[in-house]
Amino acid sequence: MATGRNHRPATRSRGIPEATVARLPLYLRALTALSERSVPTVSSEELATAAGVNSAKLRKDFSYLGSYGTRGVGYDVEYLVYQISRELGLTQDWPVVIVGIGNLGAALANYGGFASRGFRVAALIDADPAMTGRQVAGMGVSHVDDLEQIIQANGVSIGVITTPGGAAQQVCDRLVAAGITSILNFAPTVLSVPEGVDVRKVDLSIELQILAFHEQRKAADELAAGRNGTPRVPAAVERRAGRAEDGPEGDIPAVMPA
Amino acid sequence: MATGRNHRPATRSRGIPEATVARLPLYLRALTALSERSVPTVSSEELATAAGVNSAKLRKDFSYLGSYGTRGVGYDVEYLVYQISRELGLTQDWPVVIVGIGNLGAALANYGGFASRGFRVAALIDADPAMTGRQVAGMGVSHVDDLEQIIQANGVSIGVITTPGGAAQQVCDRLVAAGITSILNFAPTVLSVPEGVDVRKVDLSIELQILAFHEQRKAADELAAGRNGTPRVPAAVERRAGRAEDGPEGDIPAVMPA
DNA sequence: AACTGTGAAATCCTTCACAGCT
DNA sequence: AGCTGTGAAGGATTTCACAGTT
């Protein structure tokens, strides 16, 4: 898939690494904050700190976009805001639909930062007739029967799925059939989509489980270290350590699904 | 950092790769579904499909946990559920607090999948006195003044921040001072925390921006390909292509370093 | 003097492909 | 015969460190 070899010096190289793309929004946010404070230029070091990364990484990232900095000086804030916005496709507006107007769907509909960057909620869609027509975030909820028509009429290419897990694949299939090519999935389901459709997944429960893993490891390390190391670990670990033990190995448990 | 060389067959190697940890919850979810259907064993191929990864990756991931499969047969579903649960620390229960009971905080509080896997909402906390005492998801909202006391009393070590961006760092500092060592941050803010505290970030706006990047690239590729390629790209790209143009190269945009 | 842009090295992650067990 | 477990190869990402520019 990589474009063989890129002769052109920079300025328009195809194929920005995915890891870099995922950080561009962070840089953009930090830059926007600087812009609002009318800061004219910023060094890679300062910007990196604001974005929560290290400066070598930031410079490498920017090098994929082109040479937008000035040696000895830094980056022009407004200019960079524009370049990154353009690279991310935020100079155009992106209508999105939210399917599944439960607690989460409604919360997202109300979420302000949504509209801020070129994203516009074109419609809220739900399968429940009792929901249809109700006002959420100042907007009428449409019935899922009209899904295809809404997408076509508004030229929507991004869909957000906030249905229960059981409905997600079905909704996904309809979205894709209707022309959607990017999906943000909040349902706890692995969606299968045809080639050419992007799916990103946001899953609260997965994030918590990852945190739990590290949390547990901290407690275990603390125990193993015989509590004689640096006393930098906060109180919770200490309190928790007792419960963390579970029989380190051995007997097969009474595992319970439900 | 790698433990030199691991003699022990497996069973307890330190240092599971982060990428693997991030996938364990996916495997666990797929396994739980199999378990509910009383499927006794599963091959790496089947499980990988259900989890949305490829089988080599899955086998490699499991190899970090130990040798839990049977050659020629596959994995015992119940046994694997237990092993992964244990590895993730889900055999104990994790009280969490949610700070910031706006739309999103309330939605999370109501979210069912929360409680399912050992996570228990110990308290909902908000700074707004008007919110205090109100019932959300069958639970009283506490005032942020009591944050420290609540955390100590319940042995909470995981905090979820759903405040507006402006309040997030402040809340984070208090959580950390009170003993929290893992934070799930929904606020659009880069949190700074002392060493030993884990932060994971969930950001709707960032996810959408990443999708927009790819969406834009699809449209651009479509144009560049002179629309003679395979006609597999859905209608939205076509519709969108006109707007996606922005001056492909060449002229420097209106926005310029002052 | 300050700071960017980038090859090269180091590290991390994925995929291949097959030996080894059941 | 079927499937796991894993070295080794291949990619991708991060970090280093410094040449080059203002």
Side-chain angles (χ1 to χ4, degrees):
Chain A
M1 206 144 282
T3 344
R5 176 65 60 147
N6 195 346
H7 291 133
R8 309 289 239 42
T11 316
R12 186 75 356 186
S13 73
R14 238 354 68 215
I16 298 173
E18 193 52 38
T20 295
V21 172
R23 280 186 297 266
L24 292 181
L26 288 177
Y27 302 145
L28 184 54
R29 182 171 286 157
L31 284 163
T32 303
L34 291 171
S35 170
E36 273 161 13
R37 295 197 285 122
S38 302
V39 176
T41 62
V42 66
S43 70
S44 62
E45 192 64 42
E46 294 166 318
L47 183 53
T49 302
V53 304
N54 77 31
S55 64
K57 199 186 291 188
L58 177 144
R59 288 200 302 279
K60 189 53 118 187
D61 284 342
F62 286 178
S63 80
Y64 295 115
L65 310 185
S67 280
Y68 295 150
T70 308
R71 290 166 203 242
V73 178
Y75 301 92
D76 181 277
V77 171
E78 296 301 324
Y79 186 60
L80 247 196
V81 165
Y82 173 74
Q83 291 298 347
I84 295 178
S85 294
R86 194 171 57 103
E87 201 64 61
L88 285 171
L90 305 180
T91 51
Q92 61 186 286
D93 106 353
W94 296 100
V96 309
V97 293
I98 302 177
V99 187
I101 312 304
N103 285 308
L104 182 57
L108 295 187
N110 277 294
Y111 176 49
F114 218 123
S116 74
R117 278 259 159 238
F119 300 98
R120 184 170 51 79
V121 179
L124 307 178
I125 300 177
D126 200 283
D128 182 358
M131 205 66 208
T132 304
R134 213 180 282 187
Q135 290 289 116
V136 170
M139 188 165 214
V141 176
S142 306
H143 192 266
V144 73
D145 283 350
D146 302 328
L147 184 146
E148 287 77 9
Q149 186 265 316
I150 290 168
I151 288 171
Q152 308 280 343
N154 293 277
V156 178
S157 52
I158 300 178
V160 178
I161 298 179
T162 45
T163 64
Q169 182 63 57
Q170 201 175 326
V171 165
C172 171
D173 291 344
R174 285 185 68 172
L175 288 173
V176 169
I180 290 266
T181 44
S182 288
I183 291 174
L184 184 51
N185 180 29
F186 285 84
T189 312
V190 175
L191 294 179
S192 85
V193 294
E195 173 135 352
V197 176
D198 280 317
V199 176
R200 294 191 66 87
K201 190 169 167 42
V202 174
D203 194 317
L204 169 64
S205 157
I206 287 178
E207 298 301 324
L208 284 176
Q209 289 175 45
I210 296 170
L211 285 175
F213 171 84
H214 292 297
E215 198 57 39
Q216 175 184 238
R217 210 167 53 79
K218 284 178 215 166
D221 287 356
E222 203 45 22
L223 272 188
R227 74 199 61 208
N228 59 352
T230 60
R232 87 135 48 70
V233 179
V237 172
E238 198 68 44
R239 269 181 279 115
R240 182 154 281 288
R243 275 184 279 165
E245 261 309 33
D246 198 21
E249 195 93 26
D251 53 13
I252 296 173
V255 190
M256 293 296 3
Chain B
M1 201 145 287
T3 343
R5 182 55 68 139
N6 196 347
H7 291 134
R8 309 287 241 41
T11 317
R12 186 79 348 194
S13 74
R14 234 4 55 223
I16 297 172
E18 193 52 35
T20 295
V21 172
R23 279 187 297 266
L24 293 181
L26 287 177
Y27 302 144
L28 183 55
R29 182 170 288 156
L31 284 164
T32 303
L34 291 172
S35 170
E36 273 160 14
R37 294 198 285 124
S38 302
V39 176
T41 62
V42 66
S43 71
S44 62
E45 193 63 42
E46 294 167 316
L47 183 53
T49 301
V53 304
N54 76 31
S55 64
K57 200 186 292 191
L58 177 143
R59 288 200 302 279
K60 188 56 122 183
D61 283 342
F62 286 179
S63 80
Y64 295 116
L65 309 185
S67 279
Y68 295 150
T70 308
R71 291 167 203 240
V73 178
Y75 301 93
D76 182 275
V77 171
E78 297 300 324
Y79 186 59
L80 246 196
V81 165
Y82 173 73
Q83 291 300 344
I84 295 179
S85 294
R86 194 172 57 104
E87 201 64 63
L88 285 171
L90 304 180
T91 50
Q92 60 186 288
D93 104 358
W94 295 100
V96 309
V97 293
I98 302 177
V99 188
I101 312 303
N103 284 308
L104 182 57
L108 295 187
N110 276 295
Y111 176 50
F114 218 123
S116 74
R117 279 257 161 240
F119 300 98
R120 184 169 50 79
V121 180
L124 307 177
I125 301 178
D126 201 283
D128 183 357
M131 205 67 208
T132 305
R134 213 181 283 186
Q135 289 290 116
V136 171
M139 187 166 215
V141 176
S142 305
H143 192 266
V144 72
D145 283 350
D146 301 328
L147 185 146
E148 287 76 9
Q149 186 264 317
I150 291 167
I151 288 171
Q152 309 279 343
N154 294 276
V156 178
S157 53
I158 300 178
V160 178
I161 297 180
T162 45
T163 64
Q169 182 63 58
Q170 200 175 326
V171 165
C172 170
D173 291 344
R174 285 185 68 173
L175 288 173
V176 169
I180 290 269
T181 45
S182 288
I183 291 174
L184 184 51
N185 180 28
F186 286 83
T189 311
V190 176
L191 295 179
S192 85
V193 294
E195 173 135 353
V197 176
D198 280 318
V199 177
R200 294 190 67 87
K201 189 168 168 43
V202 175
D203 194 316
L204 167 64
S205 156
I206 286 179
E207 299 300 326
L208 285 176
Q209 289 175 43
I210 295 170
L211 285 175
F213 172 86
H214 293 296
E215 200 56 39
Q216 174 184 238
R217 209 167 55 79
K218 284 178 215 165
D221 287 356
E222 205 43 22
L223 272 187
R227 73 199 59 207
N228 59 352
T230 60
R232 85 137 49 71
V233 178
V237 171
E238 199 66 44
R239 271 182 276 115
R240 184 156 279 289
R243 276 183 277 166
E245 257 313 30
D246 196 22
E249 191 98 22
D251 53 13
I252 294 169
V255 183
M256 273 307 306

